Amino acid sequence: MSTANTEPVPIIEARQLEKFYPQPDGSRIQVIAATDLAVYPGQIIALLGASGCGKSTLLRMLTGLSPASAGSVFWHGQPVQGESPNVSIVFQSFALFPWLTVLENVEAPLEARGMPPIERHKRALRIIDAVGLDGFETAYPKELSGGMKQRVGVARALVVEPEVLFMDEPFSALDVLTAETLRGELLELWLGHKIPTRAIFIVTHNIEEAVVLADRIIVLGRNPAHIHADFTVDLPHPRDRKAAKFIELVDSIYRVLTRPEHKDETSPPRTYGAGVAVRPKVIMLPHTRPGGMAGLLEILADHGGRADLHRLADELSLEVDALLPTVDTAVLLGLLRVEEGEAVITPEGQIFAQADIQGRKAIFRKAAIANVPLLRQMEQALKSKSDRTLNDEFFRDLLDEHFSEDEARRQLETAIQWGRYAEIFDYDAATGKLTLTEA
Amino acid sequence: MPALISSFSEATPLPPPTVRPAGSRWAWGFLIDIGLFLCVFAAIFGLYAIGRTWLGPVHPEAQISQNPRDLPLYALYSLVRIGVAYTLSLLFALAYGYIAASSRRAEIIMIPLLDILQSIPVLSFLPGVMLAMVAIFPHSELGVELGCILLIFTGQVWNIAFSFYSSLKSVPRELHEAAIIYRFSRWQRFAELDLPFSTIGLVWNSMMSVAGGWFFLMACEMFVLGTHDFRLPGLGSFLQTAASHGDTRAILWGVAAMVTVIVLLDQLVWRPIIIWADKFKFEQVESSGTAQTSLLHIIGRASILIRLYRLLFLPFFNWLTLTFTLGARRAAKTFSAPKQHQLRRWIGYLLGVGVLVGLGFTVYHAVRELSGLHGEDYRELLESAALTFLRVNAALILGALWTVPAGVAIGSNPRFARIAQPLVQIAASIPATALFPIILLFLLRLRGGLEIAALLLMLLGTQWYILFNVIAGAMAIPTDLKEVAHVFHFSSWDRWRHLILPAIFPYLVTGMVTASGGAWNASIVAEYFHFQGRIVSAPGLGSTISSASDSGRFDVLLASTLIMATVVVLINRLVWRRLYRLAASRFKLET
């Protein structure tokens, strides 16, 4: 799967790295399937995937913040336990200490290394200057704009001269323009060899960001997370977003992201050691509300029933992250098909788009009962009770067997949203009671 | 606490300086320096005076003066007691919260234990604490002093510990990860992340705790324990003595002194601290209109403080961090990980066994003590518990009845709030126990006077929690919701039913929880009082505890304490926690 790399020894290498939660009955909930991944010097690697697919967990396992359930991480060929020896992380939420000034924030990691005050002062000032923050040394984070804050985050990460710089969605909390500026500045530092960092590993859900920055893009598939595709980007810097090659690459990544996966070729082997059963997979509901899907189908109908997902996201100024769950919902209900990065509306979808509210509910109901096992199960269970009523806890317990506690809660919330919209059942949030809707 | 100090003057951007000519600014700084010198001198003298009394021979039945001229010294004594008790509380609470938050196994025991300890009334700790202290220091006043301080401590420590624990538990994940990935030593993590993050909660709870200290001061400075009569000179004993003599003039003087001390403390200590603590607010954007205080201004300018800080604290703090860091690194190198684990595990086992043995021993003796009581005694205890239960809830209902409309009025009218809030704050800061003798003077002439007085004292001690929370709730009602009510011409009943009551409900519950706990604890001083040379008491669990402690009936004291703790914990679990959950799920205003 991995494309050929010329450098022989990776800085960090993950071998058969896995994350799962063992259940009391001996089975397990798999979050990340056994994964091989290597970070070579001289590269910016982007890890791309939809939100909640396990990107951040993988980053945390590579850095040693979160222990792996199985497999191991190697640092220059040596196995490591705990935190990797020389890495930094830039966080999505900046993670600055609000009670420390910019200077104190940047000095803190040096302090932790036991560096004497004068030396760390000098180093911190140098890096603050490099990221363009001079003049703000004595400011507190809350006085700074988002972009300035993330500059502090970058300065703090770079001041310890990490061999690998990890970035966890570093620009997604910023507005579009600021994010673009910061990307440019990061590239400038990196390409100009102004920092001793030998590799950058960036987690993102923004395809264009990945293509602008990275030398290698790893696309992560979902449920459990696994490496779905691995692209090498050899466009010269600075990369032109309007260039044909750039657009082509973005399109092909889009196609990969939206392509239904063929289990036999992309999924890892399904045997996890002797005697441990992996649960049969249940369909995981995308966390969307029916209203958003209706909007998408209407727009598609306006486009003549067929549109390129990439253009569609652009037009709606949505990121792939926001659009994909809605697309997944429509696909799951059989109202939409995805063919090679294009969304195609089905006949049912066409009817749905043109129907009035009551008509839509009827179509939704039919599609939901037919295609969503969980809703079918819920309807059946409610029908079997004489008072047509059940507590939500009953269903949560059912879901708990297949998902982590958090995910089970969210799955149930989504199912309840859908079921209410489809008028399959009513839900009283105060008592937690689900009641079958009388036809 | 170096972290707090370190972040104080060096890095704090001072509030925008007021314009003053350069020459006078220098003079101003000089004056402040002189003032500070005087303060230091006064403090040294005060310490000397206190030391002389404490280390002097025992005067268990010291004459408590009724002369107003002794009040400044008495106020100093009380202030020092509360100060020392508070410092101990803070240190203990930090340790307790830290251990509970960092060890999962300890947490399982320590947090429910906190719940229980919090519900044990101060006076129930009295005999144990007092006898132990007097036994340790039989020949100096220090024993009685320490006993009194420890009593105040037991009333102050638990909520601070709980606040610190819950702050530690809610440190944002990414901040925590940043501390790990940048290899902060334990000390650095504590000083630069844990402690600053918890500061605001610690400050508010410290204020509440110290207020509680004043509330129970009268009970702690002067009490009878079996045949012993303990008296310590202080504001509390002054008031207590004045009350038992029925000396109205002395009572008024004492109350005036106490109010003065409390108001000064509020203005000179708490206000500046609250404003300083503002920088620890965990927010991403700067909020507008932060409060300012002139004192902080002055301290920020005093060159002596800055110089002292730069000369002493900063290098010390740096040295501390460096030492811990290097120590941690050395330890990481020399110790192999599994060995350390083994050692720690053995220490853990030993500690566990020790605790179990101690527990078994205590329970055995407690049961033996309790077995002396008969069914009749327990029936009486339960009856008095029922009476106190009624009284506490009556106080809560009465409190809610007036504070809800008043709080909503204050909270929804900014102009009114500006006038009312400082007044309310001052009123709230006066400990109800200080006013109690005055109230008794009037009420004891009536039939059932003490019954009313006990209720009133509970009310006075707890209504403020409800009021402040209701004000906060009313202020948080979104304007657009108010506009909806206006546009649709809600009648005032509908407005209350559909908007105001649901919106303030979570706040009301928070206030009532605190008030309920406070009222139970207050019952021990409200139901039993030495007044005009006799004991006035209303039947109830609180007076049972007080009289048992007075007469040295340890079995009754133990049984009644157990009953009270059980009742309070049960009420919390069965009523308040459920209401809390309801408030959080259904009545939370989300945007």
Side-chain angles (χ1 to χ4, degrees), chain A residues 60 84 93 99 111-112 149, chain B residues 173-174 177 192 284 325:
Chain A
R60 278 166 175 74
S84 296
S93 68
W99 38 83
E111 206 178 340
K149 275 182 214 160
Chain B
R173 182 175 141 207
E174 293 205 328
E177 287 178 343
E192 284 178 14
Q284 295 301 323
T325 306

Side-chain angles (χ1 to χ4, degrees), chain B residues 242-372:
Chain B
S244 44
H245 293 170
D247 182 345
T248 317
R249 207 178 64 100
I251 292 178
L252 289 176
W253 271 108
V255 170
M258 201 176 225
V259 170
T260 312
V261 171
I262 289 170
V263 170
L264 281 178
L265 208 60
D266 183 64
Q267 289 300 312
L268 297 180
V269 178
W270 294 122
R271 294 291 124 194
I273 287 182
I274 288 173
I275 288 158
W276 163 77
D278 198 57
K279 77 182 240 180
F280 298 107
K281 210 179 258 175
F282 191 74
E283 56 180 8
Q284 295 301 323
V285 268
E286 193 157 21
S287 55
S288 57
T290 39
Q292 290 209 0
T293 175
S294 47
L295 189 78
L296 199 67
H297 224 101
I298 293 171
I299 292 176
R301 268 161 198 289
S303 50
I304 280 194
L305 279 189
I306 293 180
R307 235 172 279 160
L308 266 182
Y309 165 75
R310 292 223 170 114
L311 265 171
L312 296 174
F313 286 116
L314 199 60
F316 175 70
F317 181 60
N318 277 328
W319 172 81
L320 211 56
T321 309
L322 219 70
T323 313
F324 271 92
T325 306
L326 296 178
R329 301 214 136 193
R330 237 192 331 270
K333 265 184 209 144
T334 47
F335 272 86
S336 58
K339 205 169 164 187
Q340 204 180 4
H341 273 293
Q342 200 120 50
L343 188 72
R344 208 179 281 172
R345 194 183 305 163
W346 276 108
I347 294 176
Y349 283 147
L350 272 179
L351 266 176
V353 169
V355 167
L356 276 182
V357 168
L359 205 65
F361 187 75
T362 323
V363 168
Y364 170 73
H365 276 269
V367 168
R368 254 184 45 171
E369 190 78 58
L370 287 181
S371 63

Side-chain angles (χ1 to χ4, degrees), chain B residues 29 78 94 146 212 228 283-284 299 304 438 453 487 492 538 557 560 584:
Chain B
S78 294
L94 289 181
L146 278 184
H228 295 280
E283 56 180 8
Q284 295 301 323
I299 292 176
I304 280 194
I438 304 180
V487 166
S492 61
L557 182 65
S560 47

